[in-house]
Amino acid sequence: MPLRELLIVAGYEAGSAVRRWELWLPYMFSATLGLFMVSLGFDAFGGEGAQRFFVLGWIPFSTVTAASLGTITVVLGLSHQPLRYWLSLPLSVRQVVAVKLVMGVTMGLIVAAATLAFSVVWILRSMALLNPVTALVLIWLTLATSGLLAALSILVRDLTKMSILTILISSALQYVSSVYVPMESLALWVRALVLVNPVTLVSEVLRTGATALLAALAAEALLLFLAGVNVLALRVRTQLE
């Protein structure tokens, strides 16, 4: 495997994500402001337990919104010229697509880090969340989100439709989840639907530390990311013909 070339492309995309602050900074501002204000309401009406419940659901949701934006940026940026440059390296189309999706993953992790830091310092006032498990589930979540958006991007071709797709997917991931609603309060058939959502899996892992959900999240993230890479690679091959 051409590891050096893969690292070059991955490093370029990660650096590009960091430099494009005009994309992730508004999401970071919105995520932390929403976290602060809504958590005050949960605290006022439900106490610290309700506030903590919300905060641990909001962190993965804010991660998803930024990862979605980063992935859409990658999809729209896959034009002929840069592709032909990267493909001049000893890399397959699938490998190029996979490492270019690092931009979406990086944007998600930037916002995740911001909301996580804000949560532990200003709201929860506990460093217990700063551990390897939290880092791992947020990485898996960004991979799952990036793969899902990449796979669905084959359905649309222009900026307007991509924006609509992003809003629809982000809304579904936010509301068909346990961000605001405890799992035990849902009907069984609704609970089964909600558990498919990676945002729910991450929220529940952060809340309960359930190891069974860790395995489910890892499997879902891997399947979605591989699906996204393969579908997007197929689109790119067609584009280059």
Side-chain angles (χ1 to χ4, degrees), residues 42-111:
F42 273 79
D43 184 34
F45 288 102
E48 290 186 5
Q51 183 184 49
R52 178 179 175 80
F53 175 88
F54 166 72
V55 168
L56 297 182
W58 187 262
I59 293 171
F61 168 65
S62 64
T63 302
V64 161
T65 57
S68 299
L69 176 66
T71 302
I72 294 305
T73 302
V74 171
V75 172
L76 293 176
L78 288 175
S79 59
H80 288 257
Q81 188 61 38
L83 271 179
R84 295 192 183 281
Y85 168 75
W86 292 120
L87 291 173
S88 66
L89 299 171
L91 298 173
S92 68
V93 173
R94 187 179 289 107
Q95 288 171 330
V96 169
V97 168
V99 294
K100 286 184 77 65
L101 287 176
V102 167
M103 173 181 279
V105 172
T106 302
M107 283 194 182
L109 291 176
I110 289 172
V111 175

Side-chain angles (χ1 to χ4, degrees), residues 120-142:
V120 300
V121 173
W122 293 101
I123 301 176
L124 301 177
R125 293 181 174 84
S126 168
M127 299 297 166
L129 276 181
L130 302 182
N131 59 64
V133 172
T134 299
L136 190 58
V137 295
L138 292 177
I139 291 171
W140 282 337
L141 178 58
T142 56

Side-chain angles (χ1 to χ4, degrees), residues 201-232:
L201 294 175
V202 175
S203 300
E204 295 305 308
V205 168
L206 294 180
R207 289 166 180 158
T208 68
T211 55
L213 295 182
L214 280 173
L217 175 62
E220 185 172 19
L222 181 61
L223 287 174
L224 286 175
F225 189 75
L226 290 177
V229 168
N230 282 285
V231 170
L232 194 54

